[in-house]
Amino acid sequence: MTEAAQADGYSAGLALGRRAPATELSAIAGTLPPQQLDPFLRGLSGRTLGITMLPSAWRLRWQQDPPSVALATLLGKNAIAVDAAEAPRSESLMLDGDLAHQVAGARSIQNASVPLPSVAALSALHPVVLPLAMRALSARGGVPTSVWLNLIATIGARVHPNPRSWSGAWLSLMDAVPTTDPAVQGALLALEPVVTQVDVQPAGVLAAYRCAVALRLDRIDQGHRTETCASGTDGWRSLAALAERARPPIAPSLVAEQLRNVLVQGSSDPRVVEAVAQAAVLIPVGQARPLLLQIAENRDPGVLAALLEGLIDHLPHARALPPPVLDRLLGAPFELPEAPSLEARLHATELRRALGLPARETPSTVRALQMAAHPDAGVSPASTLIAPEASAGTWVLETTAGTIRIALRADTAPEALGLLTATTREGTYRQSTFHRVVPGFVAQGGDPRGDGYGGTSRIIPTELSGERFERGAVGIALAGLDTGGTQFFITLTDSPHLDARYPYVGQVISGMNVADRLMTGDQIVSAAVIAP
């Protein structure tokens, strides 16, 4: 079979998985040629399926080597029964030394018909994979206290001497453990003096880590552990974290008071105001209204996007705003330059629709909304197995965690690659941070603002293709169609649910161990594109 034919088969399988009716999946799976089954499964990733038994064609794929990470993802997210003959597969994969095998095993244990893994299997996981297992166990529920206690002891002992490798697993563990279990709470609190002394320089990383630790411990200690976060040296991050932590079960009046104080101290920094906006919609309307009225007058595009997004999820808060204030708020993004305000425009359009108001739509917001409603509409034919005629060079990122080298692709997203290359040469990436790191999933950076709402200098069309977002893939972050800019992400594990949903621009060729160690707050010291 030619490379072009293979690429066509992959593209067809991926598109079929994205669009096939859920009622026909079992029948379709049995008729697919072998080369289309895995892309079909990758296309299904992220979907909620209406099947309860594993079709025979899928069952065979689950027992083969290498295992299908896409199928493991489906098993984890859907209540598909796994029979006794297939059940041991998950633990055997987790005990395997191969990273891809471990990822498949970790994702599958969310499925309640898969036996809970032994502590030995969990302890054998690579620190990159452990966060996946933590999230799977949390979603699955019913995990015995003894398992959590063993994990706390195991990861807690490793994080202090080697924080770059193990902090991601520790933070994921604190997110995952049940806060209603007194024994688990006590074990976490007992280790607080150890983990808060972790040294993960530089200063921005240390501040972000300590704030993250404080936020998670607050779930146990009810919002009064402010000194841990305040010890960070990154002032705006500490204030933003204080706003994040002001939420129930603390009394709403106390939450509102703390948010007012944070807003007074950090009103000049949009990243702090965004955090207050996101926290204010979580308290009752009466306490939130004065804060929302003040924030609604802010004209920073990131603040507007954060506030409007929060109001979409909390419509009573939006309805509590005086009509003139709400009208000005909904129109504000359209009075700013289009490129940096596109995300805020999208949320303003969504909020208008949710409130039953006439939408003030522009071509860009219509396309973004179409992307949200029909994410496959813009998927172009895959070029996965077709080598580009010319290399686009190597993108070298010198970060505070080390050097990452990325082979850029010239054929998959030329508009996005052109913007990336131009802004690299302009120095846009210099001193920017990795503002979002999800352990075991992605590390995202490239926003000069450092909050996830910046980095768009001009609107470029979103270029989607069928490239596989496997470990080390580099894509352009989106908030909707045509919202891509300078923000990019590196996938830390195979992430089939991202396929055909983001522009693909390259692959890490060295420094993947550095990408694994990235933490929120790490900086890009310098960036350069080296010609082939």
Side-chain angles (χ1 to χ4, degrees):
M1 180 181 294
T2 66
E3 288 184 342
Q6 289 177 359
D8 287 344
Y10 182 88
S11 178
L14 183 67
L16 189 60
R18 287 278 190 232
R19 301 178 179 129
T23 54
E24 300 175 13
L25 296 179
S26 297
I28 291 172
T31 63
L32 288 176
Q35 70 270 19
Q36 286 190 8
L37 180 57
D38 225 46
F40 173 72
L41 294 172
R42 294 184 74 89
L44 288 173
S45 294
R47 290 182 58 178
T48 300
L49 307 180
I51 56 177
T52 56
M53 296 297 294
L54 201 64
S56 57
W58 303 13
R59 184 177 296 114
L60 178 64
R61 185 65 190 89
W62 180 232
Q63 295 295 336
Q64 291 174 338
D65 283 313
S68 170
V69 173
L71 181 52
T73 303
L74 290 172
L75 283 174
K77 291 185 176 180
N78 294 271
I80 302 173
V82 177
D83 63 32
E86 296 150 356
R89 177 69 165 154
S90 295
E91 175 136 348
S92 66
L93 289 171
M94 294 171 70
L95 287 167
D96 194 300
D98 183 83
L99 196 62
H101 289 202
Q102 289 192 354
V103 169
R107 286 203 169 139
S108 68
I109 61 173
Q110 182 176 334
N111 189 309
S113 67
V114 172
L116 274 171
S118 65
V119 173
L122 290 168
S123 300
L125 292 177
H126 189 283
V128 170
V129 184
L130 260 171
L132 297 175
M134 299 301 103
R135 291 194 286 271
L137 291 175
S138 178
R140 173 186 179 124
V143 179
T145 297
S146 59
V147 173
W148 291 123
L149 292 180
N150 274 291
L151 286 170
I152 291 169
T154 300
I155 300 174
R158 294 172 176 173
V159 71
H160 192 269
N162 195 0
R164 277 285 184 178
S165 294
W166 289 95
S167 282
W170 175 256
L171 295 173
S172 298
L173 174 66
M174 285 196 290
D175 267 345
V177 295
T179 56
T180 54
D181 189 324
V184 172
Q185 293 178 17
L188 284 177
L189 289 172
L191 278 174
E192 182 195 3
V194 175
V195 297
T196 53
Q197 294 305 311
V198 166
D199 185 2
V200 282
Q201 296 293 342
V205 178
L206 182 60
Y209 178 79
R210 288 180 174 169
C211 286
V213 169
L215 285 168
R216 285 153 178 78
L217 291 174
D218 277 351
R219 296 169 61 204
I220 297 169
D221 212 28
Q222 298 192 358
H224 303 295
R225 205 166 282 273
T226 58
E227 71 283 350
T228 305
C229 185
S231 65
T233 58
D234 201 335
W236 78 265
R237 198 181 301 278
S238 294
L239 285 172
L242 287 174
E244 275 191 71
R245 299 160 70 202
R247 61 185 59 189
I250 311 172
S253 58
L254 295 178
V255 173
E257 181 181 355
Q258 184 163 328
L259 290 177
R260 280 194 297 271
N261 292 336
V262 170
L263 195 55
V264 168
Q265 296 178 64
S267 60
S268 62
D269 194 313
R271 297 168 295 190
V272 176
V273 183
E274 290 161 12
V276 175
Q278 291 162 350
V281 294
L282 300 178
I283 59 177
V285 172
Q287 283 81 17
R289 191 171 183 270
L291 291 162
L292 297 176
L293 285 171
Q294 183 176 348
I295 298 169
E297 299 303 322
N298 194 297
R299 291 299 175 262
D300 178 88
V303 171
L304 289 171
L307 177 58
L308 289 163
E309 185 176 22
L311 292 175
I312 291 169
D313 294 329
H314 300 84
L315 292 178
H317 292 69
R319 294 190 178 103
L321 295 175
V325 174
L326 181 61
D327 188 59
R328 289 198 302 272
L329 174 63
L330 292 171
F334 299 91
E335 297 168 3
L336 301 172
E338 184 175 23
S341 69
L342 188 52
E343 188 168 351
R345 292 182 180 206
L346 173 60
H347 293 322
T349 304
E350 290 177 310
L351 182 56
R352 278 185 174 274
R353 290 183 173 185
L355 292 172
L357 301 173
R360 179 177 175 180
E361 298 174 345
T362 64
S364 60
T365 58
V366 170
R367 279 177 56 79
L369 288 166
Q370 287 173 341
M371 170 65 175
H374 305 288
D376 303 308
V379 176
S380 58
S383 56
T384 305
L385 300 177
I386 303 175
E389 293 182 2
S391 170
T394 304
W395 197 28
V396 181
L397 302 178
E398 299 287 349
T399 79
T400 46
T403 303
I404 303 171
R405 300 173 68 86
I406 297 161
L408 298 173
R409 285 279 295 272
D411 60 328
T412 54
E415 289 273 1
L417 187 62
L419 179 61
L420 182 149
T421 301
T423 50
T424 296
R425 291 171 178 160
E426 293 165 4
T428 300
Y429 291 104
R430 193 178 304 124
Q431 306 304 318
S432 65
T433 63
F434 285 89
H435 61 276
R436 176 178 180 246
V437 178
V438 181
F441 179 35
V442 295
Q444 184 172 328
D447 177 8
R449 290 170 56 108
D451 60 0
Y453 290 109
T456 302
S457 60
R458 60 185 174 89
I459 292 177
I460 59 172
T462 295
E463 303 154 296
L464 303 177
S465 72
E467 305 302 316
R468 297 176 178 91
F469 277 95
E470 298 177 322
R471 175 169 160 81
V474 181
I476 300 299
L478 300 175
L481 202 64
D482 303 339
T483 58
T486 61
Q487 290 187 48
F488 67 95
F489 60 87
I490 302 171
T491 53
L492 305 178
T493 58
D494 190 355
S495 302
H497 57 291
L498 302 183
D499 289 2
R501 293 184 181 273
Y502 295 88
Y504 175 102
V505 293
Q507 178 75 31
V508 173
I509 52 175
S510 70
M512 196 61 215
N513 60 326
V514 174
D516 290 336
R517 296 197 302 266
L518 286 169
M519 296 178 67
T520 300
D522 267 314
Q523 283 189 324
I524 299 173
V525 179
S526 65
V529 175
I530 300 175

